[in-house]
Amino acid sequence: MLIKGYDVGPLVPGESLLVHPGFWSNYLMAMCSDGGCAERPVPEWFGEDGADADALSEVLFDPERWPVFRVPVEDGPGAVVIYRNLDGDYGTDYLLTHPGRSYVEQIASWDGDFSGTGLTWLELIRIADNPALAAEGVQDTVTRLLLLLPLLTDPDMPETASARLVAALTVVGAPQDTASIAAEHLLAHLTRRSRHDPTWESPLSGS
């Protein structure tokens, strides 16, 4: 797999990992692990256990294979998530693809903390709900939503957001009683770090 700007890493399609036990706790739990909550997040919130999470982390953070998750969109910018497994510089990069352009644009990264430009809830939903069915990558709208969730930097969330996130977590295996806990913690952390201001320009504008 080739993505311009990532020729130093052995990129491999990661979509098959999405259904493996331990994926979602690896991918989402770190976002609510900064000590800001009285309750410590655990893999069981996502219907997984510590052994699942540990086993899959060996795969996700393998320096010899950098998993890539593609979120293509039918009409408009899509997204790519890359596990950047450089020795001593592990992190997750979030890229946008633009129609008619041969290059990708990195808009954010996660290196123990979030940096970069995020998306509003409506922008996130717009990408999640419009898969390009003829393109390679993740087509399921629930999975797409959860993959894009770390990009959320919106202090003005609609009332429907929490219910949609709870439903999405339940679909991927979170128990009903802990899905609401996980959703509450995730949204609290994501909206608290909001970087939007009146002069902010959306990365989806292409500007």
Side-chain angles (χ1 to χ4, degrees), residues 1 8-9 11 32-33 46 66 71 82 84 90 97 135 142 150 161 169 171 184 193 199:
M1 175 179 290
V8 298
L11 304 182
C32 46
S33 299
F46 303 92
W66 296 12
V71 186
I82 298 178
R84 174 181 20 91
Y90 288 82
T97 61
V142 165
L169 291 169
V171 168
E184 177 185 351
R193 71 173 192 206
T199 63

Side-chain angles (χ1 to χ4, degrees), residues 177-197:
D177 57 339
T178 60
S180 58
I181 297 172
E184 177 185 351
H185 280 254
L186 288 166
L187 289 177
H189 283 260
L190 290 166
T191 55
R192 185 164 62 236
R193 71 173 192 206
S194 173
R195 298 172 185 271
H196 289 305
D197 59 49

Side-chain angles (χ1 to χ4, degrees), residues 14-31:
E15 288 86 9
S16 64
L17 300 176
L18 293 167
V19 296
H20 285 222
F23 178 83
W24 293 112
S25 53
N26 265 290
Y27 189 70
L28 297 175
M29 198 168 68
M31 287 189 290

Side-chain angles (χ1 to χ4, degrees), residues 15 37 40 54 67 70 89 101 144 165 172:
E15 288 86 9
C37 294
R40 179 176 176 270
D54 289 345
R70 296 157 291 180
D89 186 26
R101 299 184 187 178
R144 290 163 66 92
L165 182 53
V172 299

Side-chain angles (χ1 to χ4, degrees), residues 33-109:
S33 299
D34 63 2
C37 294
E39 190 173 4
R40 179 176 176 270
V42 292
E44 283 74 14
W45 285 3
F46 303 92
E48 300 165 349
D49 60 33
D52 292 334
D54 289 345
L56 200 62
S57 69
E58 297 281 334
V59 178
L60 290 172
F61 298 102
D62 182 357
E64 301 301 321
R65 295 172 61 85
W66 296 12
V68 176
F69 303 90
R70 296 157 291 180
V71 186
V73 171
E74 186 64 43
D75 182 20
V80 180
V81 180
I82 298 178
Y83 274 78
R84 174 181 20 91
N85 294 335
L86 282 169
D87 187 23
D89 186 26
Y90 288 82
T92 308
D93 292 338
Y94 297 88
L95 318 177
L96 285 185
T97 61
H98 294 276
R101 299 184 187 178
S102 60
Y103 62 89
V104 293
E105 172 192 6
Q106 182 177 335
I107 63 166
S109 63

Side-chain angles (χ1 to χ4, degrees), residues 134-146:
E136 293 184 327
V138 181
Q139 306 294 350
D140 176 66
T141 57
V142 165
T143 307
R144 290 163 66 92
L145 168 65
L146 295 176

